[in-house]
Each structure stands twice: as C-alpha cells, then as structure tokens.
Amino acid sequence: MAQKRLTIDYQEYASMAEMEEADRSLLERAVKATEGSYAPYSHYHVGAAVLLSDGTVVAGANQENSAFPSGLCAERTALFAAHAQYPHLAVRAIAITACSNGRMVSEPAWPCGACRQVLADSQRRAGTPVRIIVGGLSRIVVFSCVDDVMPFIFNGL
Ligand code: THU
C-alpha cells in the first residue's frame, strides 16, 4: 500500500479589480448572464460565460422548471449552447457566479458535480486545459484546468 496525497494549485483574488483583464471580462459576462436566470423556486440566480477558441463568448443561466428535475444549471446551459452552436470551436474558459436577493453571493458559486463532469468532456473535446473562474463577493477563485476541480476525472470509455 502507498499513502498518497493530492494538492491543487489555484489563484485567489480579493476583488475583480485585482484580476487580469481577460478573466475579469469573462466574469463580468457571467454576472450579466444572471439576468437570464429563471429561478422562481431556489431564488439562486446563476450565470455562466463560456469563452471559445475564436474569442466568442456564449452565456447561460440556470433554468428551473415546475417539474423539478427538468431544469438545468447555468454552466450546462452555456456549455451545451456553445457546443451546439459552435461544434468545431474549443472551450477555453468558463466563468461562473450567482446572485441572490439582487446581490452577488458572498462565497464563490462552485459548480456542481454534474457540471464538472460536463466541463470534463468540454476539456477532452478541446484537447487543452479549460480555465475555471468562480466568483463571489468575498473572493474569486481561478483554476487552470478541470482536473483541479475534479480529480480522478471520468474521461470516457
Ligand atoms: N445551479 C447552477 O446553475 N449551477 C450549479 O453548478 C449548481 C446549482 C442552480 C440549479 C438551481 O437552479 C439552483 O442553482 C439551486 O440549486
């Protein structure tokens, strides 16, 4: 038996002003995307912005549904729209944030497990790392690839 340990490198910013321009601009698109959220049940309005290899940005927001499981998270709304509209472009980055009661959430809006798995496939399709920017009022966290938010990733059969 070998005892092993995983470590993850990531960057943390205290405010959007500290961030590099490309990341900040994508996060701003995610903030704007929260306006498209339909969340009458959770009142948790998530926005996501996906950056593609030619510079195109595709935004998405969570869409809830009265038949509960039929809704979809912001990240998957944005990623599936991006892949459907631009199947030949690679995903380079995604920014995610959320608002509640008209205010950005304090803690970063961490993507759920299902969205991380979908991001894993986007990264596999791209063949290059997908950057993940997760924003909250108290801090913004940047990961340089999906593996950093999902160790031992399932990468298909
Ligand atoms: N939600 C997202 O949009 N992304 C996530 O990664 C986690 C959760 C949405 C789903 C639902 O509309 C609301 O947040 C509360 O769970």
Side-chain angles (χ1 to χ4, degrees), residues 97-121:
T97 192
C99 292
S100 193
N101 298 316
R103 199 160 182 265
M104 189 190 275
V105 289
S106 177
E107 264 297 281
W110 307 117
C112 75
C115 289
R116 292 177 197 212
Q117 184 59 52
V118 170
L119 272 164
D121 274 30

Side-chain angles (χ1 to χ4, degrees), residues 38-39 42 44 46 61-64 72-75 109-112 115:
Y38 180 66
S42 71
Y44 185 68
V46 188
N62 56 329
Q63 302 297 316
E64 297 183 351
L72 196 64
C73 291
E75 298 91 320
W110 307 117
C112 75
C115 289

Side-chain angles (χ1 to χ4, degrees), residues 52 78-91 118 121-122 125:
L52 300 176
L79 287 165
F80 290 152
H83 288 305
Q85 293 176 77
Y86 305 100
H88 303 298
L89 294 183
V91 172
V118 170
D121 274 30
S122 297
R125 284 171 74 160

